[in-house]
């Protein structure tokens, strides 16, 4: 079934399961506040926050004000905050107890025609329970949507099971699987750059691009998330979703339109064309690392295995590097180098597209390729690195950047990714959300890699906290005559 193209904002009830949680306080509620502050929410729009804590709505608002204020102190405006609070309702219920959904029913019942969004910002283990809970309580209307946070399963089998349970209650057009990277302006700009300009499309292929690197580097270690992280690892936490989503946007064919179905069709094709990594190919084309002690940004960092909540003999990887390839006419032979890690030298999310060298240089200089650099974090910047003659008598070429700094180019403030995503869910625009087939295709590629690591008992290679990962990661890319671009370009 295709969606309509009317994405105006209708009156809504946003039901936020996990309303007292970290994500709600740091991202979701601030995102809604910004949109309220900018008068972009319809008057009839409520936010119903749910958690177990026994709080009145007034107590919840006080807790929310304190928490949110610390995250958005600069942008905080007393008068719009007061009217934002009028939208907020709090329900202290245990979502594993069916009778307690009746309280939610009483709140929702007066507005059966409103858009209803059930936003599941709880531990993934509760997703199915909540879906059954709202269904059995008769709360799912034709105008209802469900939004899910990652991770969606821990392998193909569990992801299929979750998707089947979702499908028992909601149809695919009602399901919004979130990868918040897709809400980032630079990621959407990547699509604008590729499909809104004539310049790039003719050279966006194997004949002109030698390799592509995608890095998601974090300075943070496991911090307080050991319970979750030690069961998960970088492959499931970052590669299966964020890194593959960035690869897909870079590699997809031009969709026939910006309609969600058209965009998702092309994304799914890329995931299905990923060359499978199985058996020895996994050992040759992946690197698994785990940080040992070191220094990040001048501060000492304890080794992963010595962190609170982590098993002393943990095999969980905190770093992954992969050489991925896509079996298609456009990308045959072009390596996509992916890497992500914790406690690395810098916090940086960056895509580097290396173009081929000039076939013959008439200048007396080492041949360095043109590069397109798309940085998502910490700043949102797109740079095209080209060569020009430096000033002076000599014909000496220097690298210069054609820059697009979003902060300088556009007056509007930088949005948090969730603003766009939340409003898209209310509008019913699924373009920036994952289809179940994308999730299936991504796990189908990831599962054999993890299985091979288990089968060969591939122990993560240690790397010093504050470095760029294990030396094996540089060796992986060097075997392909490439090198990670690590200096700030
Ligand atoms: P969190 O801080 O642990 O919050 C969990 C929320 O669920 C709390 O509000 C908790 O409230 C509520 N809850 C737990 N059991 C409940 C029950 N039986 N009945 C009612 N409410 C219950 O988790 P989070 O960090 O916000 O993460 C939420 C989801 O987002 C997870 O799926 C996570 O993987 C995903 N995610 C989080 C981040 C992030 O930056 N935090 C980033 C990406 C994805 P009470 O304890 O009061 O019941």
């Amino acid at each position: 079934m295709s969606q309509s193209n009317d994405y105006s904002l209708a009156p809504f009830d946003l039901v936020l399961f996990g309303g007292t949680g970290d994500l709600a306080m740091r991202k979701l509620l601030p995102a809604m506040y910004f949109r309220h502050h900018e008068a972009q929410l319809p008057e009839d729009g409520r936010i119903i926050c749910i958690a177990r804590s026994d709080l009145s709505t007034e107590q919840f608002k006080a807790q929310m004000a304190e928490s949110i204020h610390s995250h958005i102190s600069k942008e905080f405006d007393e008068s719009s905050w007061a009217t934002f609070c009028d939208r907020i309702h709090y329900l202290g219920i245990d979502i594993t107890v069916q009778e307690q959904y009746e309280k939610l029913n009483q709140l929702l019942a007066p507005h059966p025609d409103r858009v209803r969004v059930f936003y599941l910002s709880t531990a993934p283990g509760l997703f199915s329970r909540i879906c059954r809970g709202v269904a059995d309580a008769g709360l799912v209307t034709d105008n209802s949507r469900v939004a899910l946070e990652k991770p969606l399963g821990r392998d193909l089998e569990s992801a299929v099971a979750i998707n089947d349970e979702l499908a028992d209650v909601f149809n695919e057009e009602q399901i919004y699987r979130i990868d918040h990277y897709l809400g980032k302006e630079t990621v959407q700009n990547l699509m604008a750059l590729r499909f809104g300009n004539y310049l790039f499309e003719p050279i966006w292929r194997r004949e002109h691009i030698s390799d592509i690197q995608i890095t998601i580097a974090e300075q943070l270690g496991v911090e307080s998330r050991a319970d979750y992280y030690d069961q998960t690892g970088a492959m499931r936490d970052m590669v299966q979703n964020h890194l593959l989503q960035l690869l897909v946007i870079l590699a997809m064919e031009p969709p026939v339109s910006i309609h969600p179905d058209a965009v998702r069709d092309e994304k799914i094709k890329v995931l299905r064309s990923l060359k499978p990594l199985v058996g020895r190919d996994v050992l040759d084309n992946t690197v698994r690392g785990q940080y040992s002690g070191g220094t990040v940004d001048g501060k000492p960092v304890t080794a992963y295995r010595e962190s609170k909540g982590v098993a002393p003999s943990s095999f969980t990887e905190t770093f992954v590097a992969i050489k991925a390839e896509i079996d298609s006419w456009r990308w045959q032979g072009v390596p996509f180098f992916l890497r992500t890690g914790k406690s690395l030298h810098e916090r940086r999310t960056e895509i580097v597209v290396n173009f081929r060298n000039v076939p013959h240089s008439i200048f007396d200089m080492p041949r360095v390729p043109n590069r397109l650099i798309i940085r998502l974090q910490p700043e949102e910047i797109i740079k095209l690195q080209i060569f020009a003659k430096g000033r002076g008598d000599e014909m000496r070429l220097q690298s210069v950047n054609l820059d697009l700094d979003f902060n300088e180019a556009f007056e509007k403030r930088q949005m948090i990714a969730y603003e766009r995503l939340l409003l898209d869910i209310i509008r019913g625009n699924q373009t920036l959300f994952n289809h179940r087939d994308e999730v299936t295709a991504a796990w189908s590629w990831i599962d054999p890699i993890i299985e091979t690591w288990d089968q060969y008992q591939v122990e993560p290679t240690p790397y010093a906290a504050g470095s760029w990962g294990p030396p094996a990661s540089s060796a992986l890319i060097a075997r392909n005559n490439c090198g990670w671009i690590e200096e700030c370009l």
Side-chain angles (χ1 to χ4, degrees):
M1 192 170 82
S2 64
Q3 301 180 327
S4 101
N5 274 334
D6 176 13
Y7 296 135
S8 53
L9 270 180
F12 65 87
D13 280 334
L14 167 62
V15 183
L16 196 49
F17 291 95
T20 56
D22 175 68
L23 187 72
M25 290 296 172
R26 269 190 320 112
K27 300 286 181 192
L28 305 176
L29 290 165
M32 291 304 282
Y33 166 66
F34 284 135
R35 286 309 171 107
H36 169 86
H37 177 63
E38 291 173 5
Q40 286 170 6
L41 300 183
E43 219 166 273
D44 294 329
R46 296 186 298 177
I47 304 169
I48 299 165
C49 298
I50 292 182
R52 274 172 307 192
S53 312
D54 184 18
L55 301 169
S56 67
T57 289
E58 289 316 308
Q59 285 168 325
F60 174 77
K61 285 180 190 172
Q63 184 177 317
M64 176 180 79
E66 194 178 323
S67 171
I68 291 186
H69 198 258
S70 63
H71 297 304
I72 58 168
S73 51
K74 264 193 282 174
E75 298 93 346
F76 199 79
D77 173 88
E78 288 293 345
S79 82
S80 67
W81 180 255
T83 49
F84 177 67
C85 282
D86 293 341
R87 296 181 183 276
I88 303 287
H89 300 257
Y90 178 79
L91 273 186
I93 60 175
D94 185 337
I95 47 192
T96 61
V97 180
Q98 188 59 37
E99 298 75 59
Q100 302 206 1
Y101 285 78
E102 181 48 31
K103 290 188 192 162
L104 180 58
N105 187 20
Q106 284 167 17
L107 254 181
L108 293 177
H111 304 289
D113 298 330
R114 281 191 186 172
V115 168
R116 262 180 207 174
V117 177
F118 300 111
Y119 195 113
L120 313 189
S121 180
T122 63
L126 290 170
F127 290 173
S128 312
R129 182 65 195 88
I130 301 173
C131 289
R132 264 189 294 118
V134 292
D136 291 350
L139 304 180
V140 182
T141 57
D142 286 351
N143 233 351
S144 291
R145 285 146 209 183
V146 64
L148 290 92
E149 272 299 332
K150 70 150 206 186
L152 208 93
R154 52 175 291 105
D155 53 19
L156 179 60
E157 194 185 345
S158 54
V160 168
I162 295 173
N163 279 324
D164 285 347
E165 282 160 354
L166 283 170
D168 283 343
V169 177
F170 299 95
N171 61 43
E172 186 61 30
E173 285 73 32
Q174 293 177 298
I175 302 173
Y176 291 72
R177 298 178 189 83
I178 293 185
D179 185 322
H180 73 273
Y181 270 57
L182 297 182
K184 289 180 184 290
E185 289 282 4
T186 352
V187 175
Q188 290 160 47
N189 251 307
L190 191 51
M191 300 236 295
L193 192 79
R194 284 197 58 199
F195 306 128
N197 295 288
Y198 189 77
L199 202 59
F200 292 106
E201 184 47 29
I203 56 168
W204 205 259
R205 56 191 66 246
R206 62 191 295 276
E207 290 83 357
H208 306 286
I209 290 178
S210 66
D211 65 280
I212 293 184
Q213 306 181 7
I214 312 177
T215 298
I216 304 183
E218 296 179 277
Q219 281 191 319
L220 285 178
V222 66
E223 316 297 312
S224 59
R225 292 175 71 219
D227 277 357
Y228 162 75
Y229 197 85
D230 207 38
Q231 304 299 317
T232 309
M235 190 69 158
R236 293 185 172 98
D237 191 44
M238 301 299 282
V239 181
Q240 186 273 339
N241 36 67
H242 304 320
L243 267 170
L244 284 187
Q245 282 295 323
L246 294 179
L247 175 147
V248 160
I249 305 254
L250 279 162
M252 69 196 267
E253 294 296 323
V256 290
S257 75
I258 194 70
H259 191 277
D261 292 345
V263 174
R264 289 159 126 203
D265 282 353
E266 295 307 333
K267 288 172 66 195
I268 293 166
K269 279 188 211 160
V270 177
L271 288 164
R272 288 183 180 149
S273 336
L274 278 167
K275 185 173 173 180
L277 287 176
V278 195
R280 285 225 62 88
D281 283 348
V282 173
L283 308 183
D284 294 341
N285 292 293
T286 68
V287 172
R288 214 182 169 201
Q290 189 187 71
Y291 64 86
S292 48
T295 310
V296 174
D297 224 5
K299 296 189 189 91
V301 171
T302 311
Y304 177 73
R305 285 184 182 180
E306 289 159 27
S307 304
K308 196 167 164 246
V310 173
S313 56
S314 171
F315 254 43
T316 302
E317 75 284 350
T318 61
F319 178 96
V320 176
I322 304 183
K323 177 189 167 192
E325 289 178 275
I326 295 171
D327 282 332
S328 71
W329 279 47
R330 185 187 284 266
W331 295 116
Q332 201 61 43
V334 177
F336 285 72
F337 297 108
L338 317 178
R339 68 176 168 168
T340 182
K342 288 196 167 294
S343 292
L344 293 182
H345 183 69
E346 241 181 59
R347 172 176 174 248
R348 195 195 300 178
T349 301
E350 190 169 82
I351 297 163
V352 178
V353 179
N354 281 315
F355 292 94
R356 293 198 183 279
N357 271 321
V358 291
H360 165 68
S361 177
I362 58 170
F363 301 107
D364 182 19
M365 58 173 278
R367 287 188 297 157
V368 181
N370 297 121
R371 289 196 175 108
L372 180 69
I373 298 134
I374 301 136
R375 186 169 304 153
L376 285 79
Q377 274 174 165
E379 321 88 8
E380 298 199 313
I381 295 175
I382 295 181
K383 291 175 195 246
L384 182 61
Q385 198 175 59
I386 59 165
F387 293 90
K389 179 188 164 300
R391 287 203 169 140
D393 292 339
E394 287 178 78
M395 188 61 177
R396 203 175 271 278
L397 298 202
Q398 285 180 2
S399 145
V400 282
N401 290 326
L402 298 180
D403 279 2
L404 171 58
D405 181 326
F406 290 86
N407 278 336
E408 285 171 16
F410 305 112
E411 277 179 11
K412 273 189 95 169
R413 71 178 169 83
Q414 183 181 338
M415 287 193 298
I416 39 182
Y418 281 100
E419 290 179 53
R420 170 78 200 260
L421 297 176
L422 278 160
L423 263 63
D424 274 356
I425 300 168
I426 297 168
R427 286 189 190 106
N429 182 351
Q430 285 190 306
T431 312
L432 300 178
F433 300 86
N434 292 326
H435 189 277
R436 99 171 260 168
D437 293 350
E438 284 179 75
V439 178
T440 304
W443 279 119
S444 301
W445 189 72
I446 295 283
D447 268 6
I449 301 176
I450 297 179
E451 281 160 19
T452 307
W453 283 348
D454 290 346
Q455 186 191 341
Y456 286 83
Q457 299 196 325
V458 178
E459 192 168 352
T461 316
Y463 62 94
S467 69
W468 278 105
S473 156
S474 307
L476 166 75
I477 194 166
R479 284 201 293 280
N480 294 275
N481 299 321
C482 304
W484 295 111
I485 307 300
E486 277 158 1
E487 76 271 30
C488 249
L489 296 166

